[in-house]
Amino acid sequence: MKKTILSALAGETLPVPPIWMMRQAGRYLPEYRATREKAGDFLSLCYTPDLAAEVTLQPIRRYGFDAAILFADILLLPQALGADLWFVTGEGPRLSTLTTPEGLAALKPVEAIHETLAPVYETVRILVRELPRETTLIGFAGAPWTVATYMIAGRGTPDQGPAHALKAADRATFQRLIDRLTEATIDYLSAQVDAGAEVVKLFDSWAGSLKGRDFDDFALEPAKRIIAGLKARHPGVPVIAFPREAGARYVGFARATGADGVALDNSVTAEWAAENVQKDGCVQGNLDPALLVTGGERLVAETRRIVRAFAKGPHIFNLGHGITPDADPDNVSRMIEAVRG
């Protein structure tokens, strides 16, 4: 039996689209909050394979999604390269900042990442044993630009200003950081596939703040290199790219990078994406996550509209961004019913 997600990513149009959600293992679920408490803090949860596997499995048990996505964080990779990483309750991640050639030189070599990331690979191995046979296991990493924005600013920023400033002031150092992250991401995703991940996803959450040549150099080109590097080692592994808020640059992104699927945020319409993006292969997304908070008839109507818009080509149903902590778990059930109904 071929798994539905793998069929969609191979270009098949299915009568009912497979479904999973970004951040499906997370704070909107009471069982997640209980496990997180047991772990003590977020990073301990990421680095304790039994608990990370448990939170990955929770939404599968509850909802029967077609895919599970490995529970980890995009900032584990810079930590593995030698950045200090900690989380501030209620505020999110903090990192030591990297803004100079000396800071870049102090990073560990790419081959050293696996020592820190070994628990993540162990989580993947547990999931291979524990997941239902029909459920696809998705591994992931942050894309180099998005990871670099956190490394340069030391935290998330509304406009990625510090990264744009370094890029303008010292493009050579900035490019070397992107190159290091690109190589490390190939190694990291490859190790996830070796451990049993069947699909990988590249999250470029801040791609939308790159314009013109910068988008080509720092969103498109690294994705292309990562996908080529990964497929050289694992020819059969499908890759989903998510250049969030790329707008018109979604068009042709799959073709240009070699991605098997493109995930869409909810700033574009499904009808536009069906015409302009889906012609190159599988699309994923683009339901507004806010609808899982408000629910009601609008949630059902919008879910059905997206399914209809993408019905003529390969499609994986998903959200335009991660589900939010204030989402109602019952609304997730309604959404699934509307897709599969």
Side-chain angles (χ1 to χ4, degrees):
M1 177 190 84
K2 191 167 187 185
K3 298 181 181 186
T4 52
I5 298 262
L6 299 180
S7 297
L9 288 167
E12 285 181 45
T13 303
L14 302 170
V16 176
I19 179 170
W20 68 280
M21 290 191 312
M22 290 183 274
R23 295 206 194 121
Q24 63 189 24
R27 287 177 291 170
Y28 73 104
L29 289 177
E31 55 267 45
Y32 169 88
R33 294 194 295 270
T35 309
R36 161 92 183 247
E37 207 166 299
K38 192 191 291 185
D41 63 81
F42 180 74
L43 280 175
S44 300
L45 181 54
C46 290
Y47 285 125
T48 307
D50 288 347
L51 297 182
E54 168 59 24
V55 294
T56 305
L57 289 162
Q58 286 166 351
I60 306 304
R61 291 189 201 114
R62 188 187 264 255
Y63 298 116
F65 286 120
D66 294 291
I69 184 161
L70 165 70
F71 184 82
D73 191 270
I74 65 168
L75 299 181
L76 303 186
L77 182 61
Q79 186 178 35
L81 284 166
D84 294 326
L85 171 66
W86 66 102
F87 280 76
V88 178
T89 309
E91 290 184 31
R94 296 288 184 272
L95 290 127
S96 48
T97 55
L98 191 159
T99 54
T100 62
E102 294 74 24
L104 185 61
L107 290 180
K108 293 178 186 174
V110 165
E111 56 274 16
I113 64 172
H114 304 298
E115 189 183 342
T116 302
L117 296 169
V120 177
Y121 312 143
E122 180 54 29
T123 302
V124 174
R125 287 190 285 271
I126 294 169
L127 289 166
V128 170
R129 296 196 299 269
E130 299 288 328
L131 278 168
R133 274 187 32 231
E134 67 276 11
T135 310
T136 303
L137 177 56
I138 302 174
F140 77 94
W145 158 252
T146 288
V147 174
T149 67
Y150 287 95
M151 293 179 79
I152 293 161
R155 59 189 295 170
T157 53
D159 57 358
Q160 296 77 59
H164 285 293
L166 180 63
K167 171 166 61 66
D170 186 353
R171 201 172 177 98
T173 295
F174 184 80
Q175 181 67 62
R176 286 204 302 279
L177 174 58
I178 293 290
D179 291 343
R180 177 73 64 91
L181 288 170
T182 299
E183 293 307 315
T185 303
I186 294 167
D187 264 31
Y188 181 35
L189 289 174
S190 185
Q192 291 182 36
V193 174
D194 284 335
E198 299 164 280
V199 173
V200 297
K201 182 166 176 181
L202 200 56
F203 284 87
D204 209 349
S205 305
W206 302 124
S209 76
L210 292 168
K211 305 298 175 205
R213 182 189 153 196
D214 283 349
F215 185 90
D216 292 328
D217 289 352
F218 303 125
L220 195 150
E221 195 54 37
K224 182 180 177 178
R225 282 171 58 197
I226 289 164
I227 292 166
L230 195 59
K231 287 182 182 272
R233 299 183 198 184
H234 306 279
V237 72
V239 181
I240 302 168
F242 185 31
R244 188 167 82 92
E245 296 190 347
R249 298 306 303 269
Y250 276 127
V251 180
F253 195 85
R255 244 196 347 267
T257 59
D260 302 273
V262 173
L264 305 159
D265 63 78
N266 48 286
S267 71
V268 298
T269 69
E271 292 76 11
W272 174 86
E275 201 173 312
N276 294 287
V277 186
Q278 198 180 24
K279 63 183 180 199
D280 290 333
C282 188
V283 291
Q284 177 185 288
N286 67 333
L287 186 75
D288 185 348
L291 291 167
L292 293 171
V293 181
T294 54
E297 277 311 304
R298 183 143 178 264
L299 166 63
V300 174
E302 284 295 294
T303 298
R304 288 179 177 154
R305 181 183 65 79
I306 290 167
V307 171
R308 273 198 309 277
F310 289 131
K312 293 195 176 87
H315 173 217
I316 296 166
F317 193 90
N318 207 309
L319 310 180
H321 200 214
I323 186 169
T324 55
D326 54 345
D328 182 343
D330 290 342
N331 285 335
V332 177
S333 301
R334 287 185 198 106
M335 175 190 74
I336 293 169
E337 207 174 292
V339 173
R340 293 178 175 162

